[in-house]
Amino acid sequence: MFDRMNAMFNHADAFIALGTLEEIFHISSWAQLHIHHKPIGLLNINGFYDNLLSFLDQAVEQEFLTFSARQIIISATTVEQLIDHLQSFTSVIDPSMSRINWSTKESRKRLRLDLSLRL
């Protein structure tokens, strides 16, 4: 999955979720960390993502998610609407997030953390 995500990250102008929730949240967390400033779209046909979107809105209300972080994920009910929203997207910088420079491969290597569990 990492290779696919990396290729998508390097070549895409925007992201439209067609895969798993893990992929959606993975790429949105990269946006929150300012690794990219590209919009993320959900094509919400027949209300498929309604519960997820409501959960994210509730997370903002309960202060588990910032308003600017919530704005990273865009939804629409038609392809045309989603493309329009993605094209008009303006990245909102979240002042609560640190401003780490992720622009070079070398800086990414230095910032990688070992989070493996050792028993």
Side-chain angles (χ1 to χ4, degrees), residues 28 30-34 36-39 66-74 88-97 99:
S28 64
W30 283 4
Q32 287 180 274
L33 292 170
H34 305 290
H36 73 83
H37 300 285
K38 302 171 185 181
T66 64
F67 178 77
S68 58
R70 171 62 181 89
Q71 302 309 304
I72 291 168
I73 297 178
I74 298 168
S88 63
F89 175 79
T90 303
S91 178
V92 176
I93 303 298
D94 188 342
S96 67
M97 295 301 295
R99 299 295 300 168

Side-chain angles (χ1 to χ4, degrees), residues 53-66:
L53 296 168
S54 293
F55 169 76
L56 295 173
D57 292 338
Q58 181 181 4
V60 172
E61 290 173 18
Q62 300 292 320
E63 298 180 358
F64 284 102
L65 183 67
T66 64

